[in-house]
Amino acid sequence: LVAQLALTAFQNWRADAGVQWDPQSSETERALVEVQYHPAPDRVVNVGYRFERGIYEEAALATAALQGQGPVCGTPVTPSCNVEQVEVSSAWPIGRSWSIFARGVYSLADHEALERFAGFEYRACCWSLRLGARRYVGARPTTSTARTGPQDTGIWLQLELTGLASVGSASDVSLAQEIPGYTSTEANSRSLLGPR
């Protein structure tokens, strides 16, 4: 059985919740709760919780079989096979030309951060500069007892010249994917002006 609820009762606030329940086992298979505060296109705060039962079971059994080890996740599914994560993300201007953005994903089951992402943006009249850093799980687990792999770190720098004809996708698209609801001031202006 699946149920979903979307609530936009208060100005600038939005909440989504969903659950998948198995009547045969009388257990919740998946659950998702998200709350968003979005007072302007370039101002957003997201908080979410996600649960999935037994998602690691298949991968753990396959890894254990390849390495000749016993299964980590058995039948019935143990709590160590479940995914339980909290996610927080935000983008917010801190002055006329400056904005900051951040995202974090924390695994309650593993007691560790799976992803941390933060940076800033400076906007001038005809250009903008974005600098960000990201720490994330970059590979699959190396053993059958590990649920997450080693973490990688990446640093990126973007320079965007505004007021010129655009070719390809805008450089702020990746930010919009990382932070739901975020739209930069330039992207908002582009949508108001229409295609060039």
Side-chain angles (χ1 to χ4, degrees):
L1 301 174
V2 177
Q4 187 171 1
L5 174 69
L7 181 65
T8 56
F10 302 103
Q11 186 179 12
N12 305 329
W13 287 90
R14 175 186 167 141
D16 291 305
V19 64
Q20 179 181 331
W21 185 71
D22 185 353
Q24 292 180 347
S25 63
S26 297
E27 291 184 326
T28 301
E29 295 297 318
R30 290 182 178 87
L32 175 70
V33 178
E34 296 175 336
V35 177
Q36 183 182 78
Y37 176 62
H38 196 296
D42 60 345
R43 298 169 191 252
V44 64
V45 177
N46 300 294
V47 178
Y49 168 81
R50 180 172 74 107
F51 171 81
E52 289 189 52
R53 181 174 305 283
I55 196 168
Y56 284 111
E57 182 179 27
E58 204 172 294
L61 289 171
T63 304
L66 287 173
Q67 296 179 352
Q69 300 172 359
V72 175
C73 298
T75 304
V77 176
T78 60
S80 65
C81 298
N82 300 334
V83 167
E84 196 170 5
Q85 297 174 349
V86 175
E87 180 178 335
V88 177
S89 63
S90 180
W92 207 267
I94 55 173
R96 185 175 177 138
S97 300
W98 292 89
S99 293
I100 56 171
F101 46 86
R103 178 177 184 250
V105 179
Y106 183 81
S107 171
L108 299 172
D110 300 313
H111 305 290
E112 71 171 317
L114 301 180
E115 182 175 357
R116 288 156 289 180
F117 168 70
F120 70 88
E121 176 185 53
Y122 177 80
R123 291 179 306 276
C125 65
C126 56
W127 60 276
S128 61
L129 181 72
R130 295 180 189 94
L131 177 65
R134 182 176 175 225
R135 180 102 172 130
Y136 60 99
V137 176
R140 290 179 171 251
T142 54
T143 66
S144 64
T145 56
R147 286 171 40 107
T148 61
Q151 295 204 351
D152 292 333
T153 302
I155 298 173
W156 53 268
L157 177 69
Q158 293 178 331
L159 174 65
E160 182 176 358
L161 303 175
T162 56
L164 299 175
S166 59
V167 176
S169 60
S171 61
D172 51 13
V173 169
S174 60
L175 272 182
Q177 292 171 345
E178 295 285 338
I179 304 170
Y182 171 75
T183 309
S184 72
T185 306
E186 286 83 9
N188 204 34
S189 301
R190 285 193 296 266
S191 67
L192 292 174
L193 292 173
R196 294 179 181 163

